[in-house]
Amino acid sequence: SCRRHVLLLGTLGMAVGGGVCALAPGNGVFLAGRVVMGISTAASFGMSLAILPTLFQPHELPRVFGVWLGVQSAISLLGTVGCGAVQAALGWRMSCLIIPVLAVVFTAFGAVSVPDSRAAHHRRFDAVGVIASAVALLLLMGGFTMSGELGWTDPAVIGALVCSVVLLVFFGVWEARRRDPGFPVRLFTVPAFTAACVVGVAFNFANGVIAVQLPNVLESTLGRSAFVGSLVVSAMSVGMLLGTLAAGEAQKRWELSARTVFTSGLLTIAVGFA
C-alpha cells in the first residue's frame, strides 16, 4: 500500500476510535476506542513525516519540519482549549466527538491533495515484532499504573514489569535477526539516534505527567473547571508552536547545525521544567 493510503486510513481510523470512545457504554469499550485511536494516530503521524521529504528539496526541510510541527502544536492548542470548553458545557462524550469530526474533514482534504508515494523497496509486515512490542508496552504501562494503587511489591505489578522486560528483550533479538525488520534496532548503534530517542522518551514522559496530573490538581484540589485546566495545559502548546517555527527559521537563516538546535532546545526545556 502507498503512503497516501496508509495516511488516509490512519486519519479515518482516528474518527472511528473517537466515535467508539464517545459512545462507549463502559470502560472496556472506551479502552478499545483509545487503542484504535493510538494505532491510527501512529499511522497518520508516521506517514505524514515520510511524505514530506518527497515533496520538498533537502535544503527546504528544516523550515518545512518547523512549520509542520508548528501546525501540529497549533491544532493541539485549539483542540485542548476546545475540548475543555465542550467538556465543561456538554460533558466528556461530546468532547470525544471533536477528533472524529476533524478527522473526517482532514481525510477528505488529504484524499484530494496528498500525492501517491511509495517506499523504494517492498517490505513484509512484521506481525511478530509489532505484537511483541505492543504487548510489552501495554504490560509496562499497566505495571506502572497498578503500582500507584497496589505498590511496587505486589505480584501483579512485578509480573507485568518482568513480562514486559522479557518481551522487549525478545523483540530486540527478533528484530536484530530479521533481514527486513519492522523496527531496525541496529539504528541504536548510532549515538545521535540513541540520544534523540532517550530525550524523546524523557520529554514525552514529562509531558504526559503534566498533561494528566496538572488538570487533576486544578480540578480536584483547587476546584477549577476542566476548561480552566485546558487553558493552563495549552500554555505548553503555545511554547511548542513558537519554538518549532523559530527553530526551523533559525536553522535555515543562520545555517545552524542540528547539534546546536538540539542542545539549545534541551537546555530551554530544562529551564522551563525547573
Side-chain angles (χ1 to χ4, degrees):
S1 181
C2 70
R3 295 188 179 107
R4 175 174 176 269
H5 292 160
V6 176
L7 174 67
L8 296 179
L9 287 175
T11 309
L12 191 60
M14 294 172 64
V16 174
V20 171
C21 290
L23 301 175
N27 295 338
V29 178
F30 183 85
L31 179 61
R34 293 293 294 173
V35 170
V36 172
M37 288 187 66
I39 295 173
S40 303
T41 301
S44 59
F45 183 89
M47 287 303 102
S48 64
L49 183 61
I51 288 173
L52 286 179
T54 68
L55 302 177
F56 299 93
Q57 297 296 323
H59 68 275
E60 299 177 300
L61 290 180
R63 179 177 292 174
V64 169
F65 283 128
V67 174
W68 177 72
L69 289 170
V71 170
Q72 292 189 61
S73 299
I75 294 296
S76 177
L77 171 62
L78 295 175
T80 301
V81 177
C83 284
V86 172
Q87 181 175 342
L90 303 175
W92 67 269
R93 290 186 183 274
M94 292 302 296
S95 67
C96 287
L97 291 176
I98 294 179
I99 290 180
V101 172
L102 292 176
V104 170
V105 174
F106 293 156
T107 301
F109 177 74
V112 298
S113 62
V114 178
D116 289 336
S117 174
R118 294 180 182 273
H121 305 286
H122 176 73
R123 301 172 62 182
R124 293 184 178 181
F125 181 69
D126 184 14
V128 175
V130 170
I131 293 174
S133 61
V135 174
L137 293 176
L138 286 174
L139 290 173
L140 182 64
M141 291 185 292
F144 279 115
T145 301
M146 292 187 295
S147 67
E149 298 180 3
L150 304 177
W152 291 102
T153 59
D154 187 87
V157 175
I158 296 175
L161 295 178
V162 170
C163 290
S164 173
V165 172
V166 171
L167 281 174
L168 286 174
V169 172
F170 167 78
F171 170 73
V173 174
W174 172 267
E175 296 297 300
R177 293 183 175 181
R178 281 181 60 86
R179 177 180 301 178
D180 195 13
F183 185 83
V185 294
R186 291 187 178 88
L187 288 176
F188 286 101
T189 60
V190 180
F193 178 82
T194 303
C197 289
V198 170
V199 171
V201 170
F203 169 76
N204 282 286
F205 185 84
N207 189 27
V209 171
I210 291 175
V212 173
Q213 297 301 330
L214 187 56
N216 183 48
V217 170
L218 289 170
E219 292 183 45
S220 62
T221 304
L222 302 180
R224 304 297 183 180
S225 66
F227 177 64
V228 174
S230 67
L231 288 177
V232 176
V233 174
S234 66
M236 192 167 184
S237 297
V238 173
M240 293 172 63
L241 171 60
L242 298 176
T244 51
L245 295 175
E249 187 65 27
Q251 187 174 15
K252 173 74 174 179
R253 178 173 298 182
W254 295 312
E255 298 182 352
L256 300 178
S257 67
R259 177 179 296 179
T260 300
V261 176
F262 188 66
T263 53
S264 62
L266 291 179
L267 291 174
T268 306
I269 291 173
V271 171
F273 276 118

